[in-house]
Amino acid sequence: MSAHRGNAKKYKWALDFTARRGTNQDALCPPGFNPAVSQAHTETSKDNDPSHLIIKKSWELALAPLKQVPMNLFIMYMAGNSISPFPIMMVGMLLIRPFKALFTLQSTFKMIEGNHAIMQKLVYFLGNIVGMLLALYKCQSMGLLPSHSSDWLAFIDPPVRLENLGGGMSLY
């Protein structure tokens, strides 16, 4: 039995249950629990502080538009550059959502009182501006934005391309 005890103490994760049979308090504590350490942390923790929770929630709100950028990029890639109903609806949603979010900026941050939410509002605003810029870039790449004077004026001819390239194999 003593050889078994010596072998159990050889590993630091091994427990020796025979040494604590007589004490009742040690038998109630789970392995790795130290009652002296748990009594030292009875004061309020930082996670339960209401002001800390409000600031944490406000940063989650502020970073939400920036967290949507990778998904928006994926949607832009999957929509393609063709002019058809599905890509136009996708680009429309990419453009409308940030506008709606900017118009509801005050009501989004209504629960946060005080002046400590100015940085969060600024980050939220910039994140929505990034979303709108991505949508405008997609509109430009699809050819939906008027970028030449011929798009506005009927008497000006559209620009002529100097070179046309096509992919694929040639049979000649």
Side-chain angles (χ1 to χ4, degrees):
M1 185 112 165
S2 63
H4 178 65
R5 246 188 247 158
N7 192 14
K9 288 295 183 180
K10 185 175 175 183
Y11 303 105
K12 98 176 157 176
W13 50 265
L15 297 174
D16 184 15
F17 293 109
T18 59
R20 296 186 185 163
R21 266 191 200 168
T23 61
N24 196 12
Q25 183 180 2
D26 288 339
L28 297 176
C29 296
F33 178 75
N34 189 354
V37 173
S38 68
Q39 291 173 357
H41 295 291
T42 56
E43 62 217 34
T44 61
S45 68
K46 191 175 182 181
D47 292 337
N48 293 336
D49 187 22
S51 63
H52 180 265
L53 291 175
I54 290 172
I55 292 172
K56 185 177 176 182
K57 180 67 175 172
S58 66
W59 276 113
E60 287 178 11
L61 284 172
L63 293 174
L66 290 174
K67 290 180 181 178
Q68 292 176 355
V69 168
M71 180 56 75
N72 289 343
L73 287 171
F74 180 71
I75 289 171
M76 287 171 44
Y77 170 73
M78 292 303 289
N81 287 337
S82 65
I83 307 291
S84 60
F86 181 71
I88 291 175
M89 286 186 333
M90 289 292 122
V91 171
M93 289 305 294
L94 286 174
L95 194 58
I96 289 172
R97 271 189 286 143
F99 273 119
K100 283 183 180 179
L102 287 178
F103 285 123
T104 60
L105 179 77
Q106 291 298 328
S107 63
T108 303
F109 286 93
K110 187 177 182 180
M111 68 172 193
I112 302 166
E113 304 92 15
N115 294 332
H116 62 275
I118 293 173
M119 278 301 291
Q120 288 91 340
K121 287 181 183 179
L122 180 67
V123 169
Y124 185 79
F125 178 77
L126 291 176
N128 284 311
I129 294 294
V130 167
M132 285 190 295
L133 290 175
L134 284 173
L136 289 175
Y137 170 74
K138 184 63 177 176
C139 286
Q140 174 65 30
S141 68
M142 290 174 70
L144 296 176
L145 291 182
S147 57
H148 300 288
S149 56
S150 63
D151 295 333
W152 296 99
L153 303 170
F155 58 87
I156 296 178
D157 293 330
V160 178
R161 293 187 180 173
L162 299 176
E163 186 176 328
N164 287 329
L165 294 175
M169 293 181 53
S170 174
L171 297 175
Y172 301 108

